[in-house]
Amino acid sequence: MSKATNKAVKIIRKMILEGVFAPGAHLKEEELAKVCGVSRTPVRDALRALAAEDYVRIIPNHGTFVSEWSGQDIADIFLLRSMLEAYGARLAAQKATKEHINTMRKEVERIDKMLSSGKGVDLEIFLAGNKKFHETLREAAGSDRLTKIISRLISQPVVARTAISYTRDDLQRSNEHHAELVEAISAKDGEWAHSVMTSHILAAFQVYKRHYNPDQVEISD
Amino acid sequence: MSKATNKAVKIIRKMILEGVFAPGAHLKEEELAKVCGVSRTPVRDALRALAAEDYVRIIPNHGTFVSEWSGQDIADIFLLRSMLEAYGARLAAQKATKEHINTMRKEVERIDKMLSSGKGVDLEIFLAGNKKFHETLREAAGSDRLTKIISRLISQPVVARTAISYTRDDLQRSNEHHAELVEAISAKDGEWAHSVMTSHILAAFQVYKRHYNPDQVEISD
DNA sequence: CGTCAGAATATTGTATACAAAATATTAAGT
DNA sequence: ACTTAATATTTTGTATACAATATTCTGACG
């Protein structure tokens, strides 16, 4: 993506994530152009890109609107993700190199060290390690197409917004899953890896549901 | 998509499919604008859309190039598709309404009638019926996101180009799979549907491989 | 003969101006 | 007061002009 377009994408995405534009809001090109300090042309490019990421939806001749997400949508995403990532894990078990495995193992150890240090949890470290772990696993799976599909799913606003409040136990379990995945992949056991990864993502879904529970939604009058 | 953009997308996509632009070819915006009879602005829009469909890839500041596909890529697509469509079939078994099932059954019967008519095979009827059958099944699965992902996979040039030479036996088997899928879904048996759909897509992959075999590729000097 | 530098050209990226379409506003009629 | 039609305004869509970048060509030099 080119300079001005890229700038616009970043600014607009951030604003949506921060709630500056509410779900359903109508994004006007000229206004965005002013905010981003570029002309309408790259703004339009940016909106097309954000539509591809499902941040907005474009209705021809009517405009661009911030996407709205139902609980069903979110469940959909997690279930699809669990399937796709599990498939990736199976492939990784067949194809991972020693380097891939070492990288993953290192990330597991780094997080483990953080958790058992006695100090408070450092989410920064966890998130970075988690990201690296999954990226490496996808790379090991060796399917660019799969990687792209998954990336699109998890780059979506709902998931991106999910700066979930992980409890210490959640982090612990997550990292245990990671450790087990390394074991399964080392053993070249695709079914095992598949199964652990499924649990891993569904557990994340559970954490999400616990936090963003429909029961907790308040309706103001 | 708006008028001029839509026109450009259709023209350019067709030209790529027809081989007017070879894989790897550099598509120049001005030239396309002239061919399509619109300005560069909607052409650029069109190229972004075609990139999303994987017909082309865009390299910033360098241009747009017709996508190239390896055998590995194609295998990747079929395998992913088999997984995703199988997942859809499982969902459909859980959620399909009587109307969905009736529509699917009707398409099966229409193709069956064509095949057993004694006359030669009518590919038009088969392709239309096949399309309708799968669309209905995806609708029955009730996941817009899944539908979108699958659509993107199968709208890709490699698959689109696959006007495969189905033999009569291939068509017969394909329709038997369809019939079995209707049975499985009627019985609300998700595992059965999943399994039949997997076979169905992998069989299609086999037909593809039989036709577009690397062995047959000639290299001119 | 090759290679490197620099100018010339071609191509993409961005801004602006204009056209088409949709939305909002006003005014008239019931 | 409520519709409805006409008009004004806003917003998106397209074309063109200009700027930035990349590519190609040319010629000097080793």
Side-chain angles (χ1 to χ4, degrees), chain A residues 48-64:
Chain A
R48 300 296 182 281
L50 288 169
E53 292 179 23
D54 275 328
Y55 277 79
V56 302
R57 77 178 202 290
I58 296 171
I59 303 178
N61 287 320
H62 287 254
T64 303

Side-chain angles (χ1 to χ4, degrees), chain A residues 39-116:
Chain A
S39 84
R40 267 182 62 212
T41 309
V43 164
R44 282 172 68 82
D45 269 18
L47 291 175
R48 300 296 182 281
L50 288 169
E53 292 179 23
D54 275 328
Y55 277 79
V56 302
R57 77 178 202 290
I58 296 171
I59 303 178
N61 287 320
H62 287 254
T64 303
F65 303 83
V66 178
S67 296
E68 305 179 79
W69 301 87
S70 67
Q72 184 57 50
D73 285 327
I74 294 162
D76 232 46
I77 290 172
F78 270 104
L79 261 38
L80 267 171
R81 239 194 98 190
S82 75
M83 181 184 52
L84 291 164
E85 299 254 32
Y87 176 67
R90 184 183 297 162
L91 291 181
Q94 295 161 10
K95 306 202 279 187
T97 64
K98 285 186 177 50
E99 285 70 38
H100 290 135
I101 293 174
N102 277 334
T103 304
M104 289 189 279
R105 198 188 311 267
K106 222 163 56 190
E107 295 303 332
V108 171
E109 280 163 9
R110 179 174 303 157
I111 291 177
D112 189 57
K113 205 166 142 190
M114 182 270 286
L115 285 171
S116 57

Side-chain angles (χ1 to χ4, degrees), chain B residues 57-106:
Chain B
R57 77 179 202 291
I58 297 172
I59 302 177
N61 287 320
H62 287 254
T64 303
F65 303 84
V66 179
S67 296
E68 305 179 81
W69 300 87
S70 67
Q72 184 56 50
D73 285 328
I74 294 162
D76 232 45
I77 290 172
F78 270 104
L79 262 37
L80 268 171
R81 239 193 99 191
S82 75
M83 181 184 52
L84 291 164
E85 300 254 32
Y87 176 68
R90 184 183 299 164
L91 290 181
Q94 295 162 9
K95 306 203 278 186
T97 65
K98 287 187 174 51
E99 285 70 39
H100 289 134
I101 293 175
N102 278 333
T103 304
M104 288 189 280
R105 199 188 310 265
K106 223 164 55 189

Side-chain angles (χ1 to χ4, degrees), chain B:
Chain B
M1 219 156 352
S2 53
K3 221 173 101 193
T5 302
N6 203 30
K7 184 179 169 189
V9 167
K10 280 183 180 166
I11 293 176
I12 299 169
R13 190 198 284 129
K14 187 152 175 269
M15 290 177 90
I16 292 175
L17 247 26
E18 288 175 349
V20 178
F21 301 117
H26 184 183
L27 300 179
K28 279 119 179 214
E29 297 176 355
E30 208 155 10
E31 185 185 335
L32 294 175
K34 217 168 54 189
V35 169
C36 299
V38 297
S39 84
R40 266 182 64 211
T41 310
V43 164
R44 281 172 69 82
D45 268 19
L47 291 176
R48 300 297 182 281
L50 289 169
E53 292 179 22
D54 275 328
Y55 277 80
V56 302
R57 77 179 202 291
I58 297 172
I59 302 177
N61 287 320
H62 287 254
T64 303
F65 303 84
V66 179
S67 296
E68 305 179 81
W69 300 87
S70 67
Q72 184 56 50
D73 285 328
I74 294 162
D76 232 45
I77 290 172
F78 270 104
L79 262 37
L80 268 171
R81 239 193 99 191
S82 75
M83 181 184 52
L84 291 164
E85 300 254 32
Y87 176 68
R90 184 183 299 164
L91 290 181
Q94 295 162 9
K95 306 203 278 186
T97 65
K98 287 187 174 51
E99 285 70 39
H100 289 134
I101 293 175
N102 278 333
T103 304
M104 288 189 280
R105 199 188 310 265
K106 223 164 55 189
E107 295 303 331
V108 172
E109 280 163 10
R110 179 173 302 157
I111 291 176
D112 189 58
K113 206 167 144 189
M114 182 270 286
L115 286 172
S116 57
S117 74
K119 300 176 202 164
V121 294
D122 186 336
L123 255 180
E124 289 281 320
I125 290 180
F126 175 78
L127 290 175
N130 185 62
K131 189 162 175 243
K132 179 77 176 171
F133 180 90
H134 281 280
E135 278 172 0
T136 306
L137 194 149
R138 282 181 215 128
E139 191 190 313
S143 168
D144 287 350
R145 205 158 311 279
L146 178 65
T147 302
K148 233 164 95 182
I149 294 176
I150 294 175
S151 301
R152 279 173 47 95
L153 274 180
I154 66 182
S155 84
Q156 286 171 358
V158 215
V159 183
R161 209 185 293 234
T162 304
I164 297 177
S165 65
Y166 275 101
T167 67
R168 191 192 182 74
D169 281 353
D170 293 329
L171 298 183
Q172 192 82 47
R173 175 153 76 180
S174 168
N175 212 43
E176 277 160 17
H177 283 153
H178 284 190
E180 194 172 348
L181 277 167
V182 172
E183 261 196 273
I185 291 169
S186 297
K188 297 190 187 307
D189 189 330
E191 280 313 304
W192 187 10
H194 184 278
S195 161
V196 175
M197 183 59 98
T198 303
S199 309
H200 185 55
I201 304 296
L202 293 183
F205 184 27
Q206 196 53 40
V207 173
Y208 175 89
K209 280 195 287 192
R210 196 203 306 142
H211 199 63
Y212 290 89
N213 206 308
D215 302 346
Q216 299 176 359
V217 174
E218 292 179 25
I219 295 166
S220 59
D221 54 10

